[in-house]
Amino acid sequence: MIHSLAVTEKRGLFKNWTIVLAITAFSMSLLGTFLVRSGVLTSVHAFASDPKRGVFILLFLTVVVGGSLALFAMRASKVRTGGTFALVSRETFLLLNNVLLTTAAASVLLGTLYPLIVDALNLGKLSVGPPYFNAVFAPIMVPVLLFMVIGSYARWKNDGVAELAKKLRPVAIVSVLAGCSLPLLAGPWSWLVALGLSLAIWIMLGSAAQILRQVRDTANWKSTPMSFWGMHVAHIGIAVCVVGITMVKGYETEKDVRMAMGDTVSVGGYTFRLTGIREVPGPNYAADVGDVELIRDGRVLKTLHPEKRTYFSSTMPMTEAAIDTGLTRDVYVSLGERLEGGANPAWAMRVYHKPFITWIWGGCVLMALGGAMAALDRRYRRKLASTANASIGKGLTA
């Protein structure tokens, strides 16, 4: 929607796209609320099972979506569009990104709702898991990341393939070389990791080059519109997120082990040593708390405390993982069931090493920050002020 709005504001095109995407974005937020609040979806992400609240949200969703689409249908014929654009232009690449991003969102929506539809039609039980999303979502996003940089370099209305290639050739060469070399420093070389890092570096270098050119070629670069900075902050956030996803999927490790007191297990260059299990009473639960030393190069970095809680109101045990977060990795320890008793009891333990996972969340923060910066551009405030002044002037004249 933000991409469509940029084209609408600059060229007067994609007005229908912008309206429909705005309606869809808000409608999807209501649909998500319905799914996690109504109880129709059984998931760890569901917050409550309240059918009455679910019916209210569903009715509200119907009114909002139906009313918005009805108003759009009545007024769509009166929406005037701007001029034309060439096949190679910024408008074309933004349109391609619109189609691809909408398709990606639809694939996630299908994977979420399809099991519910099958169950509602009494066609059996079906579970859609990570293999579906990995197989469908990732291939759609690869061209999105590729076109993201090309679109930001292309001129409005008309551009040439040769000119674009000339501007982007250095960025492309450095991105491919760096993306194919860096996996050798992290572990076994993988073409998927190389592809992900190449695309992330492609976006970062593309944004960095445009920022440097803007600062170098503009006499008063501080007057650059906030939307320019917001665009590149959001794009760099996407690149940071891609680095996190690529490294986690390529190099994460985990082990399920049996551990008695003093036992150790090594994962991702770290050693975990179980030093004790103790019973700790909570306000509304009883917990077994583990003491696990996190060791790197023979030095104890810290002691982690995973818990296995049993709440008084429910007999179902709950696992509270212990997490040590770092800039380039997170390590997790989960305490499982007690396997053996006696003088030297043993427990089921699960340990994880996830490299660069915090970059996923950092990238999301940068994306949100970039969107906010673009929305706060002063030219939008000027338009709002001029519209308000014009309305006041008409009122005074009347």
Side-chain angles (χ1 to χ4, degrees):
M1 191 198 73
I2 293 176
H3 288 155
S4 287
L5 189 60
V7 180
T8 301
E9 188 266 338
K10 189 74 175 181
R11 294 288 323 283
L13 298 168
F14 298 1
K15 292 181 179 179
N16 290 333
W17 262 101
T18 303
I19 296 170
V20 172
L21 289 172
I23 295 171
T24 304
F26 184 64
S27 301
M28 290 300 100
S29 70
L30 293 178
L31 178 60
T33 304
F34 168 73
L35 290 175
V36 299
R37 290 286 182 180
S38 63
V40 299
L41 189 67
T42 302
S43 169
V44 295
H45 303 293
F47 303 122
S49 179
D50 188 348
K52 292 182 179 179
R53 184 181 299 171
V55 170
F56 171 77
I57 297 173
L58 186 61
L59 290 174
F60 184 55
L61 175 64
T62 303
V63 171
V64 169
V65 177
S68 300
L69 292 178
L71 287 173
F72 173 70
M74 289 188 294
R75 306 285 293 182
S77 60
K78 299 181 180 180
V79 177
R80 296 182 179 178
T81 59
T84 60
F85 55 91
L87 180 62
V88 180
S89 63
R90 181 172 294 191
E91 293 92 328
T92 297
F93 290 110
L94 290 175
L95 179 60
L96 285 172
N97 267 12
N98 272 1
V99 173
L100 291 168
L101 288 171
T102 303
T103 304
S107 70
V108 174
L109 182 64
L110 177 64
T112 304
L113 297 183
Y114 187 68
L116 301 179
I117 296 172
V118 170
D119 187 30
L121 297 176
N122 293 321
L123 298 177
K125 297 289 185 180
L126 183 68
S127 177
V128 177
Y132 164 80
F133 295 103
N134 292 339
V136 175
F137 188 80
I140 297 174
M141 293 307 296
V142 170
V144 170
L145 301 177
L146 187 64
F147 293 145
M148 187 182 299
V149 177
I150 300 175
S152 64
Y153 273 75
R155 293 198 301 265
W156 293 104
K157 198 172 182 178
N158 188 24
D159 207 339
V161 176
E163 295 180 23
L164 271 176
K166 183 179 179 180
K167 288 187 285 187
L168 290 169
R169 188 180 296 116
V171 176
I173 293 172
V174 174
S175 300
V176 171
L177 291 177
C180 292
S181 302
L182 287 176
L184 298 173
L185 303 177
W189 194 89
S190 166
W191 73 269
L192 288 174
V193 174
L195 175 62
L197 292 181
S198 296
L199 289 171
I201 296 169
W202 161 257
I203 296 171
M204 289 182 182
L205 289 180
S207 291
Q210 285 189 302
I211 291 172
L212 289 175
R213 185 166 62 248
Q214 179 72 13
V215 173
R216 183 192 62 204
D217 298 344
T218 306
N220 184 16
W221 60 269
K222 293 182 180 180
S223 62
T224 301
M226 185 67 73
S227 59
F228 172 85
W229 302 110
M231 176 185 70
H232 289 295
V233 168
H235 286 185
I236 291 172
I238 292 173
V240 170
C241 192
V242 169
V243 171
I245 294 171
T246 301
M247 296 300 289
V248 169
K249 297 302 292 183
Y251 298 110
E252 66 177 341
T253 51
E254 65 176 83
K255 287 184 179 179
D256 291 312
V257 294
R258 170 197 173 280
M259 296 186 74
M261 301 303 165
D263 287 350
T264 62
V265 59
S266 296
V267 170
Y270 292 85
T271 300
F272 301 82
R273 180 166 58 210
L274 179 62
T275 60
I277 300 285
R278 47 201 167 85
E279 295 182 358
V280 176
N284 60 342
Y285 62 85
D288 292 318
V289 179
D291 298 317
V292 181
E293 291 180 341
L294 178 64
I295 303 169
R296 180 72 181 261
D297 298 327
R299 185 169 60 92
V300 177
L301 302 179
K302 68 183 302 184
T303 300
L304 304 175
H305 303 288
E307 299 183 25
K308 176 69 74 173
R309 295 179 179 179
T310 302
Y311 287 86
F312 302 141
S313 60
S314 172
T315 57
M316 182 180 295
M318 301 291 290
T319 299
E320 293 290 329
I323 305 173
D324 182 55
T325 298
L327 180 62
T328 59
R329 60 94 183 116
D330 278 14
V331 291
Y332 304 71
V333 184
S334 295
L335 180 64
E337 300 296 330
R338 185 169 181 165
L339 301 177
E340 300 174 13
N344 190 24
W347 296 76
M349 305 283 287
R350 178 175 289 176
V351 293
Y352 303 83
H353 172 257
K354 293 185 178 289
F356 288 88
I357 195 166
T358 52
W359 286 44
I360 298 176
W361 317 123
C364 292
V365 171
L366 288 175
M367 282 185 254
L369 176 61
M373 291 170 65
L376 293 174
D377 192 293
R378 62 178 178 269
R379 72 175 184 268
Y380 297 131
R381 296 198 299 272
R382 284 201 300 264
K383 286 182 179 180
L384 183 63
S386 62
T387 302
N389 291 335
S391 300
I392 293 172
K394 289 180 180 178
L396 292 175
T397 302

